[in-house]
């Protein structure tokens, strides 16, 4: 059992020893030293004295620490991936702006010098309040519909972000949707049936021109990054994968991957896709061209997630059901 004041150390998704990861990746000899460093850093840069550090969760070269302060629970996030520091600062500014536009995000708290992301000693850190909510429940149709509506609201806001060119260079334009799917089909695994390949090619070939322009999108909108409380979505988190793309691509990808979490990567049924789609449409109506791409992208993303070996969570069956539905209606 950990000591009363010693934070619990966990891995978010990797199956490695968290104590060893803490030493090898972040240079802390144990949980207690990591907790003391978090406390010292928050006092020096945010002027906050903490009562205790409860828990530290490690994900790759990033870590999250839940701390208790006299004013409530806070979450400190830091990274030692120096190549990402500039991007993290830009993402923190974006999240703060979304909060100012009344979007449900977990906004970074400004440090004493006003920065939302602080760099120190080869570390980049932000601080935010702990949001009271649970990960999106894909078995709750009301929450799923609300998640779709929230994604549409987020897309509207991201389209208006004034510093988009600073966040993502215009040269980083995405590959056109037809090329993505046909390119994947050219090297698709053998378990993708011929009927599936034909259907995807047919949908791509029939797609009319005139998609709306690419814009900023969240990049990883799914259950593990959406917090809900009852029927309401209270926060969309983790904007680190923000990028330029078409809204319909993120809508379809998110629908397919909505139920995926840190260690559970199973598909959701078609009813969840439909509820999510309906929620999105209630806020931002898709154009006829975008609507055409929905089936092609949902089918593609589902087949792309089918593993080549064992399939314990049933992606293959989900992809076949999606294909059978399209074959029965077209």
């Amino acid at each position: 059992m950990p000591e009363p004041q010693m934070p619990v150390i966990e891995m978010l998704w990797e199956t490695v020893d968290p104590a060893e990861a803490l030493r090898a990746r972040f240079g802390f000899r144990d949980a207690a030293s990591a907790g003391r460093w978090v406390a010292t850093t928050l006092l020096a840069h945010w002027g906050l004295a903490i009562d205790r550090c409860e828990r530290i969760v490690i994900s790759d070269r990033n870590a999250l620490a839940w701390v208790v302060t006299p004013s409530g629970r806070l979450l400190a996030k830091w990274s030692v991936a120096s190549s990402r520091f500039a991007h993290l600062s830009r993402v923190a500014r974006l999240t703060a702006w979304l909060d100012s536009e009344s979007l449900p995000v977990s906004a970074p708290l400004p440090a004493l010098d006003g920065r939302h992301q602080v760099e120190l000693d080869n570390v980049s850190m932000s601080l935010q309040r702990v949001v009271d909510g649970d990960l999106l429940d894909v078995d709750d149709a009301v929450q799923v519909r609300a998640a779709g509506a929230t994604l549409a609201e987020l897309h509207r806001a991201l389209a208006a972000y004034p510093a988009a060119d600073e966040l993502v260079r215009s040269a980083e334009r995405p590959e056109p949707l037809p090329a993505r799917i046909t390119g994947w089909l050219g090297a698709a695994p053998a378990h993708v049936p011929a009927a599936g390949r034909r259907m995807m090619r047919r949908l791509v070939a029939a797609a009319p021109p005139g998609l709306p322009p690419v814009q900023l999108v969240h990049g990883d909108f799914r259950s593990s990054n959406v917090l809900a409380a009852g029927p309401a979505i209270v926060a969309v988190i983790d904007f680190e994968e923000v990028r330029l793309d078409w809204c319909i691509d993120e809508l379809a990808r998110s629908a397919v991957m909505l139920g995926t979490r840190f260690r559970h990567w199973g598909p959701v049924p078609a009813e969840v896709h439909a509820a999510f789609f309906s929620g999105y449409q209630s806020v931002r109506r898709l154009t006829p061209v975008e609507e055409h791409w929905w089936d092609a992208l949902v089918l593609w993303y589902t087949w792309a997630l089918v593993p080549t070996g064992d399939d314990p969570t049933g992606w293959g069956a989900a992809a076949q059901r999606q294909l059978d539905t399209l074959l029965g209606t077209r």
Side-chain angles (χ1 to χ4, degrees):
M1 293 293 292
E3 298 174 8
Q5 298 301 316
M6 184 180 295
V8 174
I9 308 296
E10 305 171 39
M11 302 303 299
L12 184 62
W13 56 270
E14 298 166 88
T15 54
V16 300
D17 178 15
E20 176 56 31
L22 189 68
R23 287 190 294 270
R25 302 178 192 183
F26 302 96
F28 298 114
R29 66 177 181 273
D30 55 27
S33 63
R36 287 192 295 271
W37 175 82
V38 170
T40 300
T41 302
L42 295 188
L43 181 60
H45 293 276
W46 278 269
L48 292 171
I50 72 171
D51 296 332
R52 64 186 181 278
C53 179
E54 296 179 312
R55 175 176 168 232
I56 295 176
V57 176
I58 299 169
S59 174
D60 192 23
R61 300 180 69 197
N62 311 301
L64 303 91
W66 279 258
V67 301
V68 178
T69 75
S71 61
R73 297 174 70 232
L74 303 176
L75 178 64
K77 300 176 62 176
W78 75 93
S79 174
V80 294
S82 58
S83 63
R84 300 274 291 170
F85 286 1
H87 178 70
L88 291 175
S89 293
R90 292 190 289 265
V91 168
R93 290 193 291 273
L94 166 67
T95 310
W97 180 83
L98 289 169
D99 178 65
S100 73
E101 295 293 305
S102 300
L103 272 294
V105 297
S106 183
L109 300 176
L112 293 174
D113 61 6
R115 287 182 293 172
H116 292 103
Q117 190 83 22
V118 174
E119 292 182 24
L120 65 151
D121 301 327
N122 299 314
V123 168
S124 179
M125 177 181 275
S126 67
L127 183 67
Q128 57 198 250
R129 298 195 181 281
V130 173
V131 177
D132 291 327
D134 298 311
L135 297 183
L136 176 71
D137 181 1
V138 294
D139 293 325
D140 186 327
V142 174
Q143 283 191 10
V144 168
R145 195 173 192 279
T150 298
L151 179 60
E153 292 167 354
L154 186 61
H155 281 171
R156 279 184 171 177
L158 288 171
Y161 182 51
D165 289 344
E166 296 177 11
L167 184 62
V168 180
R169 294 190 298 271
S170 58
E172 298 175 355
R173 292 187 62 82
E175 185 178 26
L177 297 184
R180 291 185 204 181
I181 297 178
T182 56
W184 181 83
L185 285 170
H191 62 250
V192 180
R197 298 168 192 248
R198 286 194 298 271
M199 176 58 73
M200 282 183 262
R201 292 188 187 280
R202 175 179 157 192
L203 290 170
V204 169
L211 274 172
V214 295
Q215 65 159 74
L216 290 181
V217 298
H218 178 275
D220 196 19
F221 191 98
R222 54 195 174 97
S223 177
S224 57
N225 289 328
V226 180
L227 301 180
I233 303 303
V234 292
V236 179
I237 60 175
D238 290 344
F239 282 78
E240 284 82 358
E241 302 304 319
V242 64
R243 65 175 187 270
L244 287 176
D245 214 328
W246 287 274
C247 292
I248 185 58
D249 183 85
E250 174 150 88
L251 177 62
R253 181 180 186 272
S254 298
V256 171
M257 299 184 67
L258 199 62
T260 60
R261 296 189 178 182
F262 314 113
R263 301 188 185 191
H264 174 76
W265 283 76
V268 296
E271 292 78 11
V272 173
H273 296 169
F276 188 66
F277 182 88
S278 174
Y280 188 96
Q281 287 268 70
S282 72
V283 172
R284 178 186 176 273
R285 293 292 302 182
L286 297 175
T287 68
V289 177
E290 288 178 304
E291 285 198 62
H292 175 91
W293 276 102
W294 167 258
D295 285 336
L297 288 166
V298 168
L299 184 63
W300 173 51
Y301 275 119
T302 307
W303 276 112
L305 285 163
V306 178
T308 55
D310 293 339
D311 185 14
T313 56
W315 280 106
Q320 188 61 53
R321 285 193 295 272
Q322 179 71 18
L323 175 60
D324 289 344
T325 298
L326 291 173
L327 289 171
T329 58
R330 291 177 181 273

